[in-house]
Amino acid sequence: MKKMFRPIFTALGALLALIEPTLPYIIICTLAIFYDCYTAWQLDRRVKAKYGDKAPKNSGKFRSSNAGRVIHTLIKVYALIILAYFINLYITSGTGIDMTKVVAGAVCFWQLWSILENESSCNNATWAKVAQRVLVDKTERHLDIDLSMLKKDNNEDK
């Protein structure tokens, strides 16, 4: 029985030793992606609280379809970081540019931008209104409708 598992664990150990230098970047990007998911969930709850009956039925809840998208994103990010590491190791090693840091930095920037969009969407704070001049308002995505329809309804009520 022990002989059967020995080659499997040897291969896994070799693979882990090969990608071990990428683990700090993978951990940082994973934390950024999870924080983005958390802020998206908070936005979903704000949308549900503000628009109530106009929001989709399952708004404000964590859905398995969202978990699947997160796992898919994580796999793509991990593959990209590992690919950048090997490109840096074997192709661009003499240039002085660390491709792994560039890719991890780009992923973190992308996630931080998304976090700012989530935090400023459906938020009446002054900083959020200023930020919306540059960032995308994700409220429409969470409602699955055109936000201008709600604005017309609100203007008619007044």
Side-chain angles (χ1 to χ4, degrees), residues 107-121:
V107 168
C108 287
F109 178 77
W110 162 45
Q111 291 305 312
L112 291 174
W113 190 270
S114 180
I115 289 165
L116 284 173
E117 288 175 342
N118 289 336
E119 289 293 327
S120 66
S121 296

Side-chain angles (χ1 to χ4, degrees), residues 25-80:
Y25 306 107
I26 286 174
I27 291 169
I28 291 168
C29 290
T30 301
L31 292 174
I33 290 168
F34 283 159
Y35 189 63
D36 181 36
C37 293
Y38 175 73
T39 59
W41 173 69
Q42 285 183 317
L43 170 58
D44 217 19
R45 292 184 65 195
R46 283 195 308 273
V47 168
K48 181 70 171 181
K50 185 172 183 177
Y51 295 107
D53 58 334
K54 294 181 182 183
K57 192 179 199 178
N58 57 359
S59 261
K61 298 177 183 173
F62 188 74
R63 297 179 294 277
S64 60
S65 62
N66 292 350
R69 285 197 333 245
V70 171
I71 290 169
H72 191 250
T73 300
L74 287 171
I75 290 169
K76 289 192 297 189
V77 167
Y78 296 166
L80 187 60

Side-chain angles (χ1 to χ4, degrees), residues 113-114 116-118 120 127-128 130-137:
W113 190 270
S114 180
L116 284 173
E117 288 175 342
N118 289 336
S120 66
W127 74 267
V130 171
Q132 285 302 312
R133 295 180 182 260
V134 178
L135 304 171
V136 171
D137 188 349

